[in-house]
Amino acid sequence: MNETMVCVVGNVATRPVYRETVSGPSARFRIAVTARYWDRERNSWADGHTNFFTVWANRQLATNAAASLSVGEPVIVQGRLKVRTETRDGQPEWMSADIDAVSVGHDLARGTTAFRRTPRPETSAAPDRPEPALHRPEPALDRPEPAWETDPAPPPPADGTGEAATGAPGGDTPQLLPEAAMVT
């Protein structure tokens, strides 16, 4: 649940490697992310340290990334950061920073791209079933529709007390019709 989500902006450093696995397609590539800063002494932008991440993509994202990305292209990658530590025979401990990608795309701040939607694969797991027809019952003809209107206010009494024959104060409050008060 508490995973570190990152969004990195950089350049594709290696050609995407695509593989079909038992669990579905998988692709990986390296991304180079270089920090830039303003150098006051030179009065210009300068490159800082470059970080390299291995980006892992799965399923449809893997297929699309392998077909769309080339070395040197600017990309934006969003995903879960995974820092892995390994020990190899006779070597000191080795660390790698990987990103399990959720989304990969070209950085449109640095260029243009032409998007092409991929057709969805046909799934034969579910049999073809027609959409269920919505059945709407016919209104009952023997039952009249309720009247949602109000009675006009009764005229004020002749004695000037302001009370109508119904007992409502002021004599000008509209009253519901009896059939409107009954909801079925």
Side-chain angles (χ1 to χ4, degrees):
M1 284 293 218
N2 294 329
E3 298 172 325
T4 304
M5 296 296 289
V6 295
C7 182
V8 295
V9 179
N11 293 320
V12 178
T14 61
R15 179 182 55 82
V17 176
Y18 179 80
R19 290 206 169 82
E20 288 284 342
T21 64
V22 176
S23 60
S26 177
R28 67 176 164 81
F29 64 93
R30 303 268 292 161
I31 183 173
V33 180
T34 303
R36 291 186 51 90
Y37 64 94
W38 181 255
D39 188 348
R40 290 183 185 179
E41 294 174 2
R42 296 183 185 161
N43 204 25
S44 66
W45 286 98
D47 287 340
H49 180 73
T50 301
N51 292 306
F52 288 89
F53 299 95
T54 301
V55 178
W56 294 89
N58 296 304
R59 296 180 289 284
Q60 190 64 42
L61 180 59
T63 304
N64 293 342
S68 302
L69 301 178
S70 299
V71 175
E73 293 181 342
V75 291
I76 300 174
V77 175
Q78 181 185 14
R80 291 175 291 280
L81 179 65
K82 306 284 185 178
V83 178
R84 294 182 173 94
T85 305
E86 295 181 29
T87 54
R88 295 185 180 172
D89 297 329
Q91 295 181 357
E93 203 170 81
W94 181 76
M95 293 180 69
S96 69
D98 297 351
I99 299 173
D100 290 335
V102 173
S103 182
V104 177
H106 287 107
D107 185 359
L108 297 180
R110 298 192 278 161
T112 62
T113 188
F115 181 79
R116 290 179 308 278
R117 185 173 301 277
T118 56
R120 289 189 168 205
E122 293 294 324
T123 56
S124 59
D128 289 337
R129 291 183 286 169
E131 290 290 323
L134 295 177
H135 174 68
R136 297 187 185 195
E138 295 294 323
L141 300 176
D142 58 337
R143 186 178 64 191
E145 289 291 321
W148 297 103
E149 299 175 2
T150 57
D151 280 335
D159 61 359
T161 61
E163 296 266 339
T166 60
D172 57 350
T173 305
Q175 299 297 314
L176 288 176
L177 291 175
E179 62 265 18
M182 182 174 54
V183 177
T184 57

